[in-house]
Amino acid sequence: MLIFTRDRIDAVVPLLVLSFFAFLAPARAADSFLAVGGGNSPSNNQVSLEKNILFFQRVLTDSLGKTASADVLFSDGMAGSRDLQFVPNDDPPKVNILLARLFGSEDEIYYRYRAHKLPARHGPSTRRGLDEWFNGAGKKLGDGDRLFIYFTGHGGSGNPAQNTTISMWCEPVMHVKEFVGYLDRLSPKVRVVLMMVQCHSGGFAGTIFKDGKPGGELSPARRCGFFATTFDRNAAGCTPDTVEDDYKDYSTYFFAALDGKTRTGKKVPGCDLNGDGHVSFAEAHAYVLLNSDTIDIPTTTSEALLRSYSKTTGDDVAKPQMPFKTLLGKSSPLQKKVLEGLCDQLKLTSDDRFDEAKHLEEILESQRKIAEQDRSKKTEEASRLAGRIRSRLLQKWPELSNPWHPRIAELLKADGPKIQTAVESDSDYARWDLLHRDADQLYDKALDLERQWVKCQRCVRALTTAALAQNLVKVASPAIVERYHQMVQDESGTLSSPER
């Protein structure tokens, strides 16, 4: 029998009181991380997707400590197949490059395949993988907990247009509406932060709406997100290149801003835009807008809300065409940084920065179309010349018409140098080769002009978003305004801030 003396009672009672109030107090909110990635097949599953997840894991470790980790659903999971496409350091023989260029596609001969090298604890990026995660780990998330979901893979357009898709491993694509069904399995009080970098990723900003339908009723769940580009555009990234210094995509800039270091460990200054000692998700997104030189037009859930519930038409509302200083004066500090930075980069100086940016857009788009037209002409001529070279080549080596012919390997081994010489000495070769190189240069020129056009688009959208934000309180219900401010607050979170 346990006997309590006066001294023991004096010692035990405070502990019992503390335990009682600890039981009553809500548990501190916790963070969970889920990374989903990969293509739908080995030929559409580039090594950059694997490296994106490894980079994400490094950022978590740097920010939260060695024990921080993400659950991962990637391609075939633990099946161990050669599921990943990459470009090795050594080039194929010149004769193979010439024949591929003449008879088919040159790109594919540079690619190799291997099994991915992600840590052992993960599953496949399939519906079954998502089912198991949301029915297991997802069910354990409590009210106030935060779930950060990172998707790095491929995406496509939708029908309707904003019901865009993500690729699943060896399965049909998944639309926004279906993805929302998985999020709906969570408690609506679990805070979800999305970061999605696939083509057409902006369609997934629709996860803030019931059934993923933009402009409809808002979901009761607390969700926010960041997306590499708008619902109607392709995104940068997804490369078989293994050199990470060459990566220029949303993940590269966003995570570098959060971590303060690039993929290869170089310091990244200027990411803490408000000077509070921390880099928020919203600041990382702003850093991408200002610093990435890609075809991406990044967007967020708060922007999706504004475009659904606010407006810039009518009397007594802010307009993106209004005097720049007036618009700037009522914008948030982060919006000011983005607007000033983009206008400085584009060298915009007029009072009406919106129309000035639109005018520059038109000039750049006109120049890009001319470059594309010139490239098309050179490609067509090169194709005609390639047909003539092929015809003469097949007179000597008719087996080359079918790459599956059983003698091809033997033929290339025995006559490879002769075949290469025959191509390079052909009367049409010099012109064909020049046209091929000119077309590549015109492609690069058109792409560079598109990147400049994109900077204009980012500026135009930022001016419009600033005006929409100022008008929301005038045109939307108090409940919508409150949700907007809550969403902005969640977008301003950091990796190390799981408080409620």
Side-chain angles (χ1 to χ4, degrees):
M1 184 175 64
L2 183 61
I3 300 175
F4 286 96
T5 64
R6 178 67 184 177
D7 290 342
R8 180 166 292 184
I9 291 174
D10 290 342
V12 170
V13 167
L15 293 176
L16 292 173
V17 172
L18 286 173
S19 298
F20 175 74
F21 282 107
F23 176 76
L24 291 180
R28 186 175 185 271
D31 278 347
S32 294
F33 303 94
L34 173 63
V36 183
N40 60 358
S41 66
S43 62
N44 202 27
N45 189 31
Q46 292 79 14
V47 69
S48 63
L49 304 178
E50 174 198 67
K51 291 183 178 294
N52 280 350
I53 290 181
L54 293 173
F55 186 27
F56 177 45
Q57 182 58 59
R58 194 200 79 191
V59 173
L60 291 181
T61 301
D62 289 348
S63 302
L64 304 174
K66 293 182 179 180
T67 59
S69 65
D71 294 329
V72 176
L73 303 177
F74 189 82
S75 63
D76 69 359
M78 296 300 296
S81 65
R82 292 192 305 134
D83 61 343
L84 202 71
Q85 182 188 80
F86 71 101
V87 175
N89 295 327
D90 57 318
D91 285 338
K94 180 68 177 294
V95 64
N96 293 74
I97 295 173
L98 290 172
L99 291 173
R101 195 178 298 171
L102 281 168
F103 286 90
S105 174
E106 181 181 349
D107 288 341
E108 281 75 9
I109 69 168
Y110 292 96
Y111 301 155
R112 305 279 181 84
Y113 295 88
R114 64 166 172 80
H116 68 76
K117 299 177 181 177
L118 291 174
R121 185 171 154 264
H122 71 279
S125 54
T126 60
R127 287 169 174 79
R128 179 177 177 180
L130 286 172
D131 282 336
E132 291 178 350
W133 193 91
F134 277 92
N135 292 335
K139 292 292 186 183
K140 298 177 183 177
L141 298 177
D143 292 353
D145 287 346
R146 189 174 63 168
L147 171 63
F148 188 105
I149 301 177
Y150 171 44
F151 182 85
T152 173
H154 293 283
S157 57
N159 185 17
Q162 296 191 48
N163 188 30
T164 58
T165 69
I166 53 176
S167 293
M168 308 302 291
W169 185 252
C170 296
E171 291 182 350
V173 296
M174 179 179 293
H175 289 81
V176 174
K177 183 176 181 180
E178 185 180 358
F179 183 74
V180 167
Y182 284 95
L183 298 182
D184 285 344
R185 299 184 192 184
L186 303 170
S187 163
K189 294 184 179 180
V190 171
R191 294 179 296 150
V192 174
V193 181
L194 299 172
M195 182 195 164
M196 307 184 79
V197 299
Q198 74 276 14
C199 293
H200 304 274
S201 53
F204 282 76
T207 52
I208 65 174
F209 301 101
K210 281 189 175 180
D211 297 321
K213 295 180 179 178
E217 185 180 352
L218 285 171
S219 167
R222 191 167 169 178
R223 297 167 187 162
C224 72
F226 305 87
F227 310 92
T229 197
T230 52
F231 72 90
D232 54 351
R233 286 184 59 81
N234 289 332
C238 298
T239 172
D241 184 5
T242 60
V243 182
E244 291 190 70
D245 269 335
D246 295 339
Y247 291 5
K248 307 292 182 185
D249 63 335
Y250 188 87
S251 295
T252 294
Y253 290 93
F254 189 93
F255 288 140
L258 288 183
D259 200 28
K261 298 192 296 291
T262 67
R263 290 174 176 270
T264 54
K266 299 174 185 175
K267 289 187 177 180
V268 180
C271 305
D272 180 12
L273 298 178
N274 64 6
D276 67 352
H278 303 280
V279 178
S280 68
F281 303 135
E283 285 175 312
H285 180 80
Y287 179 80
V288 180
L289 287 171
L290 291 169
N291 292 279
S292 71
D293 183 22
T294 69
I295 62 169
D296 293 342
I297 303 177
T299 187
T300 65
T301 42
S302 61
E303 185 178 349
L305 186 150
L306 288 173
R307 288 177 179 269
S308 292
Y309 293 109
S310 189
K311 63 180 183 178
T312 58
T313 57
D315 299 329
D316 194 32
V317 294
K319 295 178 172 59
Q321 299 93 338
M322 69 194 303
F324 183 63
K325 288 184 178 178
T326 304
L327 182 65
L328 206 63
K330 295 183 179 180
S331 299
S332 71
L334 194 57
Q335 286 173 337
K336 289 180 183 178
K337 291 281 188 180
V338 171
L339 289 170
E340 289 175 331
L342 289 174
C343 288
D344 286 346
Q345 290 175 25
L346 294 169
K347 297 181 173 56
L348 306 180
T349 58
S350 70
D351 279 346
D352 184 351
R353 302 289 171 89
F354 183 87
D355 283 346
E356 189 178 7
K358 294 289 285 184
H359 179 63
L360 181 56
E361 264 187 6
E362 293 173 2
I363 295 172
L364 292 168
E365 179 62 9
S366 176
Q367 293 173 345
R368 188 193 67 80
K369 286 182 178 179
I370 291 172
E372 286 286 3
Q373 290 168 359
D374 290 345
R375 176 174 175 258
S376 179
K377 291 177 182 177
K378 291 184 180 296
T379 301
E380 288 176 7
E381 185 182 353
S383 180
R384 288 195 299 271
L385 294 179
R388 287 164 29 179
I389 297 171
R390 284 196 303 269
S391 180
R392 288 188 281 269
L393 201 62
L394 290 173
Q395 291 176 19
K396 296 181 180 180
W397 295 280
E399 295 91 346
L400 293 175
S401 64
N402 186 346
W404 302 109
H405 194 286
R407 284 205 63 223
I408 288 294
E410 175 189 339
L411 201 63
L412 289 178
K413 183 177 181 181
D415 289 356
K418 293 180 182 179
I419 295 172
Q420 179 177 334
T421 300
V423 174
E424 293 177 333
S425 62
D426 189 280
S427 58
D428 285 321
Y429 174 78
R431 176 65 180 166
W432 172 70
D433 186 54
L434 178 62
L435 289 166
H436 183 81
R437 286 185 277 116
D438 285 350
D440 284 346
Q441 290 176 358
L442 285 166
Y443 172 83
D444 291 339
K445 181 180 179 180
L447 183 59
D448 183 59
L449 288 166
E450 184 179 7
R451 290 180 183 129
Q452 295 177 54
W453 177 89
V454 159
K455 276 292 177 78
C456 293
Q457 261 292 296
R458 293 180 189 176
C459 185
V460 165
R461 290 179 68 89
L463 290 163
T464 303
T465 299
L468 289 169
Q470 293 173 29
N471 297 335
L472 186 68
V473 68
K474 299 178 181 179
V475 300
S477 68
I480 294 295
V481 174
E482 182 181 356
R483 282 294 299 276
Y484 171 72
H485 288 303
Q486 183 186 69
M487 197 172 292
V488 170
Q489 178 185 349
D490 289 343
E491 290 175 358
S492 298
T494 67
L495 282 178
S496 56
S497 60
E499 292 81 8
R500 297 181 195 277

